[in-house]
């Protein structure tokens, strides 16, 4: 999952970027509203963490322009303590949630997980596909109760596939959501990571749809007798 972090404070930016990366996200950073607006309009993020007090263009204006331009990415705004008017302005501009400074990083991560779940249509805090389980809170996955040892990119790939299980996802979409802006992107490496993940979760869980991409599904025997008969 790929996140845009919009924050002008250098120390807070470094702290949040490290925490988001440790939680398994690809992270791009914009230090001002002008760059944030451009990135939000041109890159396919899964969510945005947006500070409202920004240089060049304020956060509310950035959010208003995104929404007018049909950018529907979930947005978590950061506001100063007691600035209730900022919260109202942020929600009216199209924000999905807010967090008041100062805050605990764990709360930001929890709110971000909730935004991503709602955007993908998931209610439960963990993801499952047959015997495959993934817990975004702990950044861990298992198959039939057996823990999986995944690299950071393998985890990102599996997380994205599980968030969108049953849907065919193109290599281009995977590249856009697995790597941050500075990464040397190569869609051919997706095939390599798909192969590695297949070996760890079982080759029958990720289908290759020729010419279109990949789809995560549960093996028929894990869906019960009715699925097996079908």
């Amino acid at each position: 999952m790929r996140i845009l972090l919009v924050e002008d404070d250098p120390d807070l930016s470094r702290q949040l970027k490290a925490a988001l990366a440790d939680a398994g996200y690809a992270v791009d950073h914009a230090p001002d509203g002008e760059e944030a607006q451009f990135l939000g309009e041109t890159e396919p993020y899964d969510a945005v963490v947006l500070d409202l007090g920004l240089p060049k263009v304020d956060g509310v204006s950035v959010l208003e322009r995104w929404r007018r331009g049909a950018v529907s990415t979930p947005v978590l705004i950061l506001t100063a303590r007691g600035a209730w008017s900022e919260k109202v302005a942020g929600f009216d501009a199209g924000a999905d949630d807010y967090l008041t400074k100062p805050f605990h990083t764990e709360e930001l991560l929890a709110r971000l997980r909730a935004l991503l779940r709602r955007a993908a249509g998931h209610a439960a805090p963990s993801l499952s596909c047959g015997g495959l389980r993934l817990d975004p809170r702990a950044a861990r996955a298992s198959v039939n109760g057996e823990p999986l040892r995944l690299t950071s990119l393998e985890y990102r790939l599996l997380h994205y596939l599980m968030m969108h299980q049953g849907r065919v996802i193109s290599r281009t979409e995977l590249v856009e959501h697995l790597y941050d802006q500075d990464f040397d992107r190569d869609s051919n490496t997706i095939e390599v990571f798909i192969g590695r993940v297949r070996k760890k979760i079982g080759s029958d869980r990720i289908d290759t749809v020729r010419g279109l991409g990949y789809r995560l599904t549960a093996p028929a025997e894990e869906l019960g007798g009715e699925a097996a008969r079908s």
Side-chain angles (χ1 to χ4, degrees):
M1 310 296 284
R2 188 176 171 201
I3 307 299
L4 174 61
L5 170 64
V6 187
E7 171 59 58
D8 64 317
D9 183 286
D11 292 334
L12 182 57
S13 297
R14 283 192 294 270
Q15 175 189 340
L16 292 181
K17 190 170 183 179
L20 289 165
D22 287 344
Y25 300 108
V27 187
D28 290 341
H29 172 240
D32 59 68
E34 191 174 89
E35 185 174 352
Q37 183 183 334
F38 173 76
L39 288 174
E41 291 173 345
T42 57
E43 296 290 335
Y45 295 105
D46 294 291
V48 178
V49 178
L50 174 67
D51 186 24
L52 296 186
L54 296 170
K56 296 188 179 180
V57 182
D58 67 271
V60 170
S61 297
V62 170
L63 184 51
E64 288 175 337
R65 293 171 188 176
W66 281 343
R67 295 313 190 218
R68 284 200 302 269
V71 176
S72 59
T73 309
V75 173
L76 169 64
I77 57 173
L78 304 179
T79 68
R81 179 178 294 278
W84 63 267
S85 59
E86 281 192 350
K87 300 172 190 175
V88 173
F91 279 120
D92 286 344
D96 299 274
D97 198 2
Y98 78 92
L99 194 56
T100 301
K101 294 181 178 180
F103 54 83
H104 292 287
T105 303
E106 290 78 7
E107 183 179 359
L108 181 143
L109 293 173
R111 289 180 178 272
L112 195 55
R113 289 193 297 268
L115 279 184
L116 292 168
R117 286 200 308 271
R118 289 198 295 270
H122 296 282
S126 59
L127 302 170
S128 62
C129 182
L132 182 61
R133 299 282 189 276
L134 187 143
D135 183 359
R137 294 167 296 184
R140 294 175 182 169
S142 64
V143 174
N144 298 324
E146 292 295 324
L148 292 171
R149 297 184 64 179
L150 301 169
T151 67
S152 60
L153 280 173
E154 289 169 357
Y155 174 82
R156 287 183 200 172
L157 173 63
L158 183 59
H159 189 187
Y160 195 80
L161 290 173
M162 291 195 72
M163 288 288 281
H164 303 282
Q165 57 188 273
R167 179 167 73 82
V168 178
I169 302 174
S170 69
R171 287 193 300 174
T172 299
E173 181 178 345
L174 288 171
V175 168
E176 290 175 338
H177 288 267
L178 295 185
Y179 302 133
D180 58 46
Q181 187 183 23
D182 297 328
F183 195 90
D184 184 14
R185 303 177 185 182
D186 181 359
S187 64
N188 292 326
T189 61
I190 292 297
E191 294 180 3
V192 175
F193 285 114
I194 287 286
R196 291 179 183 175
V197 172
R198 273 187 175 132
K199 289 180 180 178
K200 295 181 179 182
I201 69 173
S203 59
D204 54 348
R205 297 179 187 273
I206 301 178
D207 300 326
T208 298
V209 182
R210 189 173 297 277
L212 295 177
Y214 304 97
R215 177 174 53 212
L216 180 72
T217 59
E221 61 270 18
E222 294 181 3
L223 296 177
E226 182 178 348
R229 287 192 298 272
S230 63

